[in-house]
Amino acid sequence: MTDNKHQQQAARVENEATGDRGGLSQSELDELVASSDTGGRAVGGGIGTLLMLVALAWSLFQLYIASPFGLFNDTLARSIHLGFAVFLGIMAFPAARTTFQLALGIIVPLALAALFMIAAKDGVAVWWIPIPAIAVAATVLLGSPKDRIPIWEWALSLAGAGAALYLFLFYRDIADRVGAPIMQDYVVAVIGIMILLEATRRALGPALMIVASVFLLYTVLGPNMPNMIAHKGNSLSEIVNHQWITTEGVFGIALGVSTSFVFLFVLFGSLLDRAGAGNYFIQVAFSLMGHMRGGPAKAAVVASAMTGLISGSSIANVVTTGTFTIPLMKKVGFNSEKAGAVEVASSVNGQIMPPVMGAAAFLMVEYVGIPYFDVVKHAFLPAVISYIALVYIVHLEAMKAGMQGLPRAYTPKPIVQRLIGTAFAIAAICALSFVVYYGMGWIRPAFPETASYIIFGFLTLVYIGLLFVASKEEPLKMDDPNDEVTALPMPGPTARSGLHFILPVVVLVWALMVDRLSPGLSAFWASAYMVFILLTQRPLMAIMRGESKLVTDIKDGFLDLIDGLVTGARNMIGIGIATATAGIIVGAVSQTGVGSALADVVEVLSGGNILAILALTAVLSLILGMGLPTTANYIVVSALLAPVIVTLGQQNGLIVPLIAVHLFVFYFGIMADVTPPVGLASFAAAAVSGGDPIKTGVVAFFYSLRTAALPFLFIFNTELLLIGVGWGQGIFVFIVATIAMLLFAAATQGWFVTKNRFYETIALLLIAFTLFRPGFWMDMVSPPYNEVEPVEIQQAAEETPAGEYLRLRVAGLNDLGDPIEFVALLTLPEGANGEEKLENAGLVFRTDGDKMIIDDVSFDSAAQKAGLDWDQEVLRVLKPVPQPSKYLMFIPALLLLGLIVFLQRGRAGRQPNAPAAA
């Protein structure tokens, strides 16, 4: 594998020397990934070895605390986790970037010092506060070379790590004085916050540093803010206690998720990639799809989807798969910008693919309060639909240009034989799954003490068998994409050459989905199995091929393991720092109550319209995402706006599940990696393709419109998230939604069977919308509710079946005493008549003239859960009425689609040399 890597690098250098490549050299691409993900400082010698050992120690520590025998207090683990992240963040990322960033590195700590001095009350000494601020600013001013680490950087990193470890070192003392910090607490917290923000600037750029600083400013200067968002203001004592000494701020839920779950999944992906799985995924995708129209682009989409399963970084995904796929796309007819845009759109979408989802899946578990399995279930369908639509977009681009695929490596069998072979393969997989599922179910109760050893032995036998199969095939090589492609690799041998890479993924999915272990423990067992594979695959494969150099093979396997552990830790630097800094923002929100104030601001700006609120949220996510990593963006926007959307949705009579809102925020956060002018993934792709980064970003944005449309759709049609649907309906929803998204892609790309006319594009958009939301039109044709006078509420309740909603438009006062109107969704229980149903729901009314007033609401009743309270006035009552099936709207939509197909086929047949739809 090492020799192969050197051959690849040599080939790239030679190609660059002859002018065959338009982008950056491999070393420059590696530096691009390092500067954004793993650290741009390259230090050799003993210092480089020391940093490698620190990263290795971090990975080993995380494996230990995730293991079944690693009993460790969560707060202490977070403290150590952040200590490693801050130390490596300062050491691995040099301070010298742009003049603007350097200015921020000097100004922000000094401004924070002034702010903390203003906030100090109750006789707290302030003379010392400027000292750490001046020290941090001085380290930035003195400079930070890329090839060595000066003494002041050592001091800064050790001070930051020490401040992070403070909770670990003085845990018992702090526990005895929670809420009453001493001078030592003040000093450590102030130093820690300043150095954490400096580490954030280095590792993630200025945006997150600025946002966190603004929230600290708001925390202190609350009384000076505009009335709508003003608050009493918080003292330095309250800030220190809330942000650093307890687990409400920096050491809050976000850092806890990074410590407990995210690290293990990032490490698992790193180990899997180091074993060769990344190359395997790319080669399999090309062998299966390279022969199609625009085959390399379609293969790039599939390869990026598979890589996204194990990667949390869109930029690393672009560079990893893009160095191979982008030149091949250019070779079959894509220009530089389109080739880069396809790679960007597919790589960024890797972050919405379960199980990792760029670390957001585990944050959603904590913030939404649902099991990990449910998060994956809800996120799966939109992600798959989005990828299918991207493959179709690539197909449309290939049709526009009349492209052909690459030559096959074999003569395909007749379609009937292929269908029979596919059917047998599916049957074999189902039978194997059946045997494995019930076999495992039998082993555990039969051998409760030794079941784990038996399962490991069984997996080992399967692993050895798959290695034996792989040993009969030629080793996979990452061919140079600039070389002439004469034929694609054979699908069968290519797939068989790396089937053993699937085993650790099976272990992970089994632990998560079947055994329902925690995400951290599941990732531990999967990572442990990856350690076993890395140590054994080289020597075993060499023995099976008769090429064994046992000592060398074992040594190379051990070096692969060390490299995977170190790379996994370095990939986590940015995520660890981002979750800690986002904790400052979350802590400020909970400390100041800005969430409720923001709800008022958003309601005023949107006029209470749920669609306008969603649009504002999308814009805010895009703006913040231009400088924040996806994880931090998701934490910030979900903390600020997710409750607002749910509340205002309810006031408009729309039940918006919290998971739908969190996925909405997350989708628009990842869109920022695409959107110009900052889209970092677009710049990375342009570096590979040699194209213009802004044009690449614009094209990628249009390719990603399907990803931007999906969140709006699943907010209003939660069936897309598989909420409240069974298996049969889930399959139906998947098929219909996929067709709808393909039609949306055809409309936005201006091409279906042939080039669209403007009215055909409008019609395709209407058809797609109808397939996504047939209820919208049906509600206009046959309203689902009948409005009656408030005094008729008992009659309406009697006619409403038990278990369904009775919608009440009410007026009253909110928690702050301000007038408010909203729609209450009252679930009616069983009852002999309407009056009894309302009483069982916890409601008692009184009449005041022609007004219907709520006189009493029972505690913990359906009425209280619906938001009803005493002295509220019922303005109107909406009782549900029978309605025809919303799916009847599919009939006119499909008839219109048939007409468009008829018209376009007629035009396509009359065009000379028109590419056939395939």
Side-chain angles (χ1 to χ4, degrees), residues 103-117 129-138 141 194 209:
L104 280 176
I106 296 169
I107 293 171
V108 168
L110 297 176
L112 285 178
L115 188 69
F116 290 151
M117 292 174 74
I129 293 179
I131 297 175
I134 293 170
V136 172
L141 191 61
M194 289 179 179
M209 178 196 200

Side-chain angles (χ1 to χ4, degrees), residues 269 272-273 277-282 300-313 316-318 320-321 343 346-347 350-351 353 356 387:
L272 195 57
D273 184 62
N279 180 25
Y280 173 70
F281 290 157
I282 295 173
V301 174
V302 175
S304 292
M306 291 190 289
T307 305
L309 293 173
I310 60 173
S311 170
S313 169
N317 200 347
V318 165
T320 301
T321 57
E343 182 59 47
S346 54
S347 294
Q351 292 196 75
M353 278 297 290
V356 178
Y387 263 113

Side-chain angles (χ1 to χ4, degrees), residues 703-888:
Y703 287 168
S704 299
L705 281 176
R706 74 209 188 285
T707 307
L710 272 171
F712 284 96
L713 294 167
F714 61 58
I715 286 286
F716 293 98
N717 182 7
T718 55
E719 290 179 349
L720 286 172
L721 302 179
L722 300 180
I723 294 176
V725 300
W727 280 100
Q729 190 178 1
I731 294 171
F732 175 74
V733 168
F734 170 68
I735 293 172
V736 172
T738 301
I739 294 171
M741 186 52 70
L742 296 182
L743 294 175
F744 178 81
T748 55
Q749 294 304 305
W751 191 285
F752 187 33
V753 178
T754 186
K755 186 176 181 180
N756 296 341
R757 290 177 175 165
F758 78 93
Y759 54 84
E760 291 171 337
T761 294
I762 296 171
L764 286 171
L765 289 173
L766 284 173
I767 295 167
F769 178 76
T770 302
L771 295 179
F772 273 122
R773 279 207 68 200
F776 178 83
W777 304 114
M778 184 56 72
D779 290 349
M780 296 177 67
V781 174
S782 175
Y785 303 103
N786 185 21
E787 183 174 339
V788 298
E789 293 298 322
V791 293
E792 299 179 29
I793 189 170
Q794 291 185 5
Q795 181 67 27
E798 185 170 342
E799 295 174 3
T800 301
E804 291 196 15
Y805 289 120
L806 183 66
R807 294 173 178 245
L808 309 178
R809 185 77 184 180
V810 299
L813 301 177
N814 63 13
D815 294 338
L816 301 177
D818 298 323
I820 186 174
E821 284 189 17
F822 67 97
V823 176
L825 306 176
L826 178 65
T827 306
L828 287 179
E830 296 284 350
N833 51 45
E835 183 179 2
E836 188 173 321
K837 284 183 179 179
L838 292 171
E839 287 179 359
N840 293 340
L843 275 179
V844 176
F845 294 96
R846 74 175 189 271
T847 56
D848 183 4
D850 58 349
K851 296 181 180 180
M852 178 69 71
I853 308 296
I854 298 175
D855 195 42
D856 191 25
V857 175
S858 301
F859 175 75
D860 199 30
S861 63
Q864 188 183 56
K865 293 175 182 176
L868 297 174
D869 205 350
W870 57 278
D871 276 353
Q872 289 175 343
E873 179 187 356
V874 179
L875 302 177
R876 58 178 176 164
V877 178
L878 297 173
K879 68 175 182 178
V881 295
Q883 188 184 35
S885 172
K886 62 183 179 181
Y887 298 118
L888 290 175

Side-chain angles (χ1 to χ4, degrees), residues 5 92 106 113 224 237 311 346 382 447 464 583 781 826 902:
K5 183 177 180 181
I106 296 169
N224 305 107
S237 173
S311 170
S346 54
F447 305 97
I464 292 172
V781 174
L826 178 65
F902 175 77

